[in-house]
Amino acid sequence: AQTVTQSQPEMSVQEAETVTLSCTYDTSESDYYLFWYKQPPSRQMILVIRQEAYKQQNATENRFSVNFQKAAKSFSLKISDSQLGDAAMYFCAYRRGNDMRFGAGTRLTVKP
Amino acid sequence: NAGVTQTPKFQVLKTGQSMTLQCAQDMNHNSMYWYRQDPGMGLRLIYYSASEGTTDKGEVPNGYNVSRLNKREFSLRLESAAPSQTSVYFCATARQMNTGELFFGEGSRLTVL
């Protein structure tokens, strides 16, 4: 079974600064998808960014970007120019077919 | 456009009682999922339905049953609730089984006393 590990239970960042959240995963497959989801206190799961494993180029969505290292099975999320509204739980997820696994999450605090 | 709608949002049960969580989507997606979220454990898949008429077990199916009523609706039933089933439950959908992201409902908080 594939596992997803987020080694940072909590992180904090100063407003306007940059923070990187770590994620590693275990798989023997070569074709899969990776995601970062944000869960604010409202509990809603919101997709932040996605990465197809066959694409070498790192995905970017405005202030959010990833560092995808396929050989190292690493998928980190970088948030630039952090805003108060970025405070939330962040979940890394791996998907192949009907198997979608989530990490335990990283709680991000943004300090004004 | 409501997306994925779960009912109820909150429920308190006594041990041994039964209940059904309802999920409906208006996104015309083929695949639907039920997850549970527990502190420190992320989301774990209970059951999924690749398409109307099919259901399969996920990582933690024990104590649950599901019904894919039609393309829009996918319900999760607890026949005899246990305190270990206290959790937040999420319904999710995907356009297809093998690709793309999941779209989530707002979650249902269930407490079993």
Side-chain angles (χ1 to χ4, degrees), chain A residues 77-91:
Chain A
L77 174 70
K78 185 172 80 171
I79 306 174
S80 304
D81 185 25
S82 296
Q83 300 176 359
L84 295 178
D86 295 334
M89 283 289 289
Y90 286 82
F91 292 96

Side-chain angles (χ1 to χ4, degrees), chain B residues 1-54:
Chain B
N1 193 351
V4 182
T5 302
Q6 293 181 229
T7 55
K9 297 289 191 295
F10 300 92
Q11 184 73 48
V12 178
L13 291 176
K14 294 181 179 179
T15 297
Q17 288 184 320
S18 63
M19 76 156 299
T20 299
L21 295 173
Q22 306 284 355
C23 177
Q25 52 109 353
D26 60 5
M27 306 178 77
N28 200 33
H29 285 172
N30 289 312
S31 304
M32 298 187 74
Y33 307 79
W34 277 106
Y35 284 86
R36 61 177 287 171
Q37 182 180 21
D38 302 294
M41 301 188 72
L43 279 75
R44 292 181 293 167
L45 181 63
I46 305 171
Y47 271 93
Y48 66 95
S49 171
S51 60
E52 183 179 355
T54 69

Side-chain angles (χ1 to χ4, degrees), chain A residues 6 32-33 35 37 39 42-47 50 52 89 91 94-105, chain B residues 9-10 33 35 37 40-43 45 48 59 88 90 94 96-102 104-109:
Chain A
Q6 294 179 248
Y32 48 87
Y33 293 80
F35 307 90
Y37 280 89
Q39 187 180 42
S42 66
R43 207 168 62 196
Q44 181 74 48
M45 294 287 285
I46 302 165
L47 178 69
R50 59 178 281 178
E52 290 90 341
M89 283 289 289
F91 292 96
Y94 163 103
R95 182 179 188 189
R96 176 173 166 78
N98 57 36
D99 187 6
M100 186 158 185
R101 302 288 176 128
F102 288 81
Chain B
K9 297 289 191 295
F10 300 92
Y33 307 79
Y35 284 86
Q37 182 180 21
M41 301 188 72
L43 279 75
L45 181 63
Y48 66 95
E59 184 182 359
V88 178
F90 285 93
Q96 296 177 23
M97 272 302 301
N98 296 323
T99 64
E101 66 269 29
L102 268 58
F104 286 85
E106 295 181 342
S108 300
R109 180 176 293 279

Side-chain angles (χ1 to χ4, degrees), chain A residues 64-80:
Chain A
F64 298 88
S65 61
V66 299
N67 183 3
F68 174 47
Q69 301 290 327
K70 191 172 184 178
K73 299 177 184 177
S74 171
F75 183 60
S76 60
L77 174 70
K78 185 172 80 171
I79 306 174
S80 304

Side-chain angles (χ1 to χ4, degrees), chain B residues 53-74:
Chain B
T54 69
T55 60
D56 283 288
K57 295 178 180 179
E59 184 182 359
V60 289
N62 291 344
Y64 305 94
N65 287 300
V66 291
S67 295
R68 183 74 182 267
L69 304 171
N70 47 54
K71 188 172 184 178
R72 291 187 63 249
E73 298 172 291
F74 188 39

